Amino acid sequence: MVPAFLMAALTLMYSYRQQQNDLVRESVSVVRNLSRVIDSELGSAEVSLNVLSASPSLQTPDYVAFRGQAQEVLKRGLINNVALIDATGQQLVNTAVPYGQPLPKTALIDLVPRVLQTGKPLVSGLVMGAALKRPLISVMVPVISRETGTHTRVLSAVVLPAHFEKLLTGYGLPPDRISVIFDQTGTVVARSHELERFLGKPIAPGLSDGLKESQEGAIDLKTLEGVQVLSSFSRSAATGWGVAVGIPQDSLTRELRHGMALLLAVMLLLICLGVFGSWWMGGRIAGAIGKLIEPAFDISRGKSVTIPELNIREVNEVGRAMMLTSAVLETTSSSLRSSETRMRSILQSAMDAIITVDDRQVIVLFNAAAAGMFGCPPEHAVGQPLVRFIPERFHERHAAYIKRQRDQAAAADAYGVAGVAVGVRSGGEEFPVEVSYSSVREGDSVFHTLIIRDVTARVRAQEALERSNTDLQQFAYVASHDLKTPLRSIAGFVQLLEKNYASKLDAKAVDLVRRTAAAATRLEQITDDLLAYARVGSETKPFVPVDFQEVFAEVLQLLDAALNNVNAVVTAGPLPTVQGDKTQLVRLMLNLIGNGIKYCAGTPQVHVTALRHDGAWLFSVKDNGIGIDPKHYERVFEPFKRLHTQQEYAGTGIGLAICRRIVTGHKGRIWIESESGQGSAFCFTIPDIATEQGA
Ligand code: ADP
């Protein structure tokens, strides 16, 4: 509102100035008019005198007749009385005094000679009339003597100040205007206010100062009675008489003051209305918002809320949004509760121990299975550090592991299998565990959940299995070794029998001896292979770097005769150095390349390659032989499993079993890629040295 009010006040001031200017203009024109009216009044008195002065009764002189004529003139009302004065100032006739009564000398005695000398009419200032004994004004004209042709007498028409007063009051000026008519000497002749008090007194000094400056204008001054006015004045050039009209400052500014007061009142009223409106509106808003407070708290407590229709649209919309929120929240929290219940029941019924720790490795969750496994109730476990359930000698390694995990999983959630570790029960008993974990970031904190399985039984069974395997291997080794000597003896004896006694035996017996010799030789082969198979498992030499080029060259040397027999072509691409047991690797390649040459219908071609794949060297021994049906891919790696008869292809069926054992011993894998009739590719992997060292 303030700018609007300032604008209104400025407009008011501007219009006040405008009004004041209009008023001054109007006031100046009023005084000019009044001044003209006075001039014309005095002029008409002069005209009346001129008519009288031409009267023949004056020449006669017949004063009685003249008096009668003069009395006629008085009837018009302007002139109070007429006097005829001689050159000495003696009144000869005065219509105000009964004829015959002695008359005094005129009070205008000073002016008479001037009128007579100049022969021109004259208007006196205010004087005290000698016959009337009251202030008056006289208009004088000379009377010419027909006899002498000179001016010997003067006719004076008396106009009373009351006449001018009537002029002022009759002009219809507003009653607060203080107007004055003054004569050429600056004496008050008539006044709208307090004429008796100021009649005949000099006009206000301010006005006379103004008159010295100009004949017409408007100035601020103090009137005779001391009222501050804006006075407009005009003085007639003909008579020297003038009029001034003063507008009291009070009434000048009254309108402005009224306007200002009204503006102030309106402003106050509007401010009051505004304050009241704000208070009322604020109350309504506060009331409506107040109705939302309790429901808001209810929402925070998870309650569903119902908010009644509120009388403010925006607040009502907030209310509806809150109701919607509460409904959504309720649904969400109920599904959260049921999911939590399900989770809890899963946690509690799980066979595995589930432990959640925070970022400081302090337990925050410990399920029933964990309590059973570690022999510690959940209420004692929660809040404890996790290391309480890890043997002390592993604490350092555990801390290092956690640090590594934290660095790796800093940016994202993580999960994985930590592998087999050792746990410790409350009683101090240690036991093997298998641990998988997941890490979840919740805001700034990270929680790790460990799922722990007691693998005591499995570890024990594995140990037992390993023991029995070792026993079996040792038994096979010893048995095949022990069998070798008597077998060799049998073979030797049978050969001797065939050589020395063939002539003494009939053909049937010789055939039997030959078959026995063949069976013995085959049994010897089988025993050798079995021994070789057992040896791969039982002899463990430390791995050293083995150059596969050398392995390949050695194999070619060993196979030299066989190659030449069938004109086989065995080639190889660049081969790497791997970590391993050279003897075993030679046997591996010998078996695979040997098979490639053996199981071939035409001229055998075998090609060996190696390439890096997934952190390991991937070897391939590819031939152009008879191929293998995919359904036999697994079978052929089992000991003594063959796809052909001894007649078709000689062999014991242990070669590929040894190959698998060697590759597995080198932490690799072996498999076949082949299509029947299109040759076979035996592939195996051996971990790369570089990757191995880095891991
Ligand atoms: P052996 O060669 O002594 O029979 P292996 O264990 O070396 O025993 O081979 C098992 C069987 O796998 C073989 O009898 C043969 O049928 C098949 N086999 C092995 N290598 C090849 C090959 N390169 N091509 C075709 N078949 C093969």
Side-chain angles (χ1 to χ4, degrees):
M1 282 189 282
V2 171
F5 281 121
L6 281 179
M7 198 62 210
L10 279 175
T11 314
L12 211 69
M13 292 284 287
Y14 176 76
S15 93
Y16 161 72
R17 289 258 165 254
Q18 215 49 25
Q19 269 177 22
Q20 213 178 23
N21 287 345
D22 289 350
L23 215 62
V24 168
R25 253 197 307 278
E26 187 189 300
S27 187
V28 169
S29 108
V30 164
V31 291
R32 203 179 289 147
N33 285 344
L34 272 171
S35 161
R36 268 193 214 123
V37 168
I38 292 164
D39 272 3
S40 88
E41 288 290 288
L42 293 174
S44 88
E46 191 186 312
V47 168
S48 300
L49 286 186
N50 279 337
V51 171
L52 271 181
S53 69
S55 163
S57 311
L58 283 180
Q59 301 301 329
T60 318
D62 179 356
Y63 290 136
V64 177
F66 171 74
R67 200 181 152 88
Q69 287 161 7
Q71 229 109 35
E72 278 306 304
V73 173
L74 299 186
K75 282 183 187 160
R76 281 188 228 141
L78 163 70
I79 300 166
N80 183 65
N81 59 304
V82 175
L84 181 70
I85 304 160
D86 68 11
T88 62
Q90 178 59 53
Q91 297 188 56
L92 303 172
V93 180
N94 193 331
T95 56
V97 181
Y99 189 71
Q101 270 194 22
L103 291 165
K105 276 198 171 182
T106 179
L108 307 158
I109 196 147
D110 299 342
L111 299 178
V112 173
R114 213 187 315 161
V115 176
L116 291 178
Q117 270 162 27
T118 60
K120 285 201 177 134
L122 198 142
V123 178
S124 78
L126 189 76
V127 290
M128 186 57 79
L132 295 182
K133 307 271 187 266
R134 55 200 280 193
L136 53 85
I137 294 108
S138 165
V139 178
M140 293 185 282
V141 295
V143 178
I144 198 159
S145 162
R146 273 202 204 131
E147 281 170 24
T148 57
T150 54
H151 298 115
T152 49
R153 289 163 297 178
V154 170
L155 259 181
S156 157
V158 172
V159 182
L160 293 177
H163 179 77
F164 293 103
E165 191 190 4
K166 231 185 277 167
L167 266 185
L168 280 182
T169 51
Y171 196 81
L173 288 169
D176 62 337
R177 302 284 193 272
I178 301 171
S179 44
V180 62
I181 296 173
F182 50 87
D183 64 14
Q184 59 272 60
T185 62
T187 306
V188 175
V189 176
R191 219 167 177 277
S192 59
H193 294 68
E194 299 185 74
L195 176 63
E196 292 76 30
R197 189 172 151 205
F198 298 113
L199 183 68
K201 299 268 166 61
I203 50 171
L207 182 58
S208 56
D209 289 347
L211 284 167
K212 275 178 208 151
E213 301 275 308
S214 81
Q215 295 290 81
E216 194 175 279
I219 44 168
D220 279 321
L221 56 86
K222 216 176 227 175
T223 62
L224 290 172
E225 56 265 67
V227 179
Q228 193 65 39
V229 294
L230 172 67
S231 175
S232 311
F233 59 89
S234 177
R235 177 175 231 167
S236 159
T239 56
W241 280 45
V243 182
V245 174
I247 310 167
Q249 286 294 357
D250 239 21
S251 55
L252 251 185
T253 55
R254 189 181 304 131
E255 256 176 66
L256 179 72
R257 277 185 286 116
H258 280 177
M260 283 291 184
L262 189 70
L263 192 71
L264 203 71
V266 170
M267 197 167 125
L268 277 176
L269 185 74
L270 284 181
I271 287 175
C272 287
L273 275 175
V275 168
F276 174 75
S278 308
W279 171 78
W280 176 75
M281 200 61 195
R284 259 165 62 98
I285 295 172
I289 290 177
K291 285 190 186 138
L292 295 182
I293 294 172
E294 201 44 48
F297 279 121
D298 283 348
I299 290 176
S300 74
R301 287 180 209 117
K303 283 193 206 163
S304 129
V305 297
T306 318
I307 298 164
E309 196 74 8
L310 298 168
N311 50 2
I312 294 194
R313 188 163 58 84
E314 288 80 358
V315 182
N316 207 25
E317 273 169 25
V318 174
R320 260 187 281 145
M322 277 170 68
M323 281 204 285
L324 202 70
T325 309
S326 91
V328 172
L329 218 64
E330 207 188 10
T331 322
T332 315
S333 51
S334 110
S335 63
L336 211 66
R337 268 197 301 279
S338 57
S339 125
E340 215 176 273
T341 314
R342 279 201 302 279
M343 265 323 277
R344 199 171 304 127
S345 92
I346 291 170
L347 274 177
Q348 293 311 327
S349 63
M351 303 273 282
D352 293 333
I354 299 175
I355 301 174
T356 300
V357 294
D358 63 14
D359 216 16
R360 300 166 300 144
Q361 295 290 304
V362 172
I363 296 171
V364 294
L365 185 144
F366 201 76
N367 76 340
M373 188 181 290
F374 291 98
C376 175
E379 56 273 22
H380 288 173
V382 171
Q384 295 287 325
L386 180 67
V387 288
R388 202 192 130 171
F389 300 107
I390 297 173
E392 214 172 321
R393 64 182 186 285
F394 293 124
H395 283 188
E396 218 166 281
R397 209 190 297 174
H398 173 73
Y401 179 77
I402 295 298
K403 189 181 174 316
R404 209 164 53 238
Q405 285 296 317
R406 199 174 287 160
D407 293 347
Q408 278 170 9
D413 295 347
Y415 57 88
V417 178
V420 177
V422 183
V424 61
R425 298 189 215 279
S426 285
E429 183 201 341
E430 292 186 7
F431 63 105
V433 290
E434 198 174 58
V435 184
S436 63
Y437 69 88
S438 65
S439 304
V440 177
R441 182 172 287 278
E442 279 178 29
D444 282 345
S445 14
V446 180
F447 291 95
H448 312 275
T449 298
L450 310 172
I451 300 181
I452 303 164
R453 184 168 291 176
D454 186 342
V455 290
T456 311
R458 204 181 76 195
V459 167
R460 275 186 199 145
Q462 207 168 336
E463 281 169 3
L465 195 70
E466 273 168 16
R467 265 198 309 277
S468 110
N469 262 351
T470 315
D471 289 351
L472 213 63
Q473 265 173 22
Q474 278 166 1
F475 169 74
Y477 183 77
V478 172
S480 51
H481 205 269
D482 287 355
L483 278 174
K484 261 178 81 103
T485 322
L487 258 176
R488 246 193 223 134
S489 304
I490 294 168
F493 290 140
V494 171
Q495 272 170 5
L496 274 177
L497 193 64
E498 194 189 0
K499 205 170 154 190
N500 299 337
Y501 300 96
S503 52
K504 293 173 189 164
L505 296 171
D506 59 12
K508 204 171 177 185
V510 170
D511 183 47
L512 280 174
V513 168
R514 250 184 222 143
R515 282 194 197 192
T516 310
T521 311
R522 180 154 172 72
L523 199 62
E524 210 178 355
Q525 264 175 13
I526 292 175
T527 319
D528 276 348
D529 282 354
L530 198 63
L531 187 62
Y533 181 73
R535 200 173 272 158
V536 172
S538 55
E539 287 178 359
T540 44
K541 273 199 249 168
F543 285 178
V544 290
V546 178
D547 184 352
F548 244 85
Q549 295 285 9
E550 286 176 17
V551 171
F552 182 67
E554 211 167 299
V555 170
L556 286 193
Q557 225 171 3
L558 289 170
L559 286 173
D560 193 36
L563 295 179
N564 287 338
N565 280 348
V566 289
N567 290 327
V569 183
V570 181
T571 53
L575 298 173
T577 296
V578 299
Q579 199 78 5
D581 179 339
K582 190 175 179 188
T583 318
Q584 288 188 1
L585 293 177
V586 168
R587 175 168 275 278
L588 168 69
M589 292 306 281
L590 191 64
N591 284 358
L592 294 178
I593 296 172
N595 277 355
I597 297 164
K598 187 166 46 165
Y599 295 102
C600 186
T603 310
Q605 285 181 1
V606 180
H607 186 63
V608 183
T609 57
L611 55 95
R612 284 191 59 154
H613 177 73
D614 231 1
W617 283 106
L618 169 61
F619 289 86
S620 155
V621 181
K622 189 167 170 38
D623 61 45
N624 61 341
I626 56 170
I628 303 171
D629 191 331
K631 69 181 177 205
H632 300 307
Y633 279 177
E634 267 308 302
R635 234 173 79 104
V636 292
F637 288 105
E638 289 172 24
F640 305 116
K641 288 287 167 12
R642 306 200 67 231
L643 302 180
H644 304 95
T645 60
Q646 197 62 25
Q647 282 72 34
E648 286 170 320
Y649 297 100
T652 58
I654 203 117
L656 289 180
I658 291 174
C659 288
R660 172 172 274 180
R661 203 165 241 208
I662 291 170
V663 172
T664 317
H666 281 79
K667 295 187 191 134
R669 208 164 65 79
I670 185 164
W671 70 97
I672 301 170
E673 286 175 5
S674 157
E675 266 178 50
S676 202
Q678 289 194 7
S680 328
F682 281 79
C683 305
F684 64 90
T685 57
I686 291 190
D688 185 12
I689 305 173
T691 324
E692 266 290 273
Q693 280 170 349

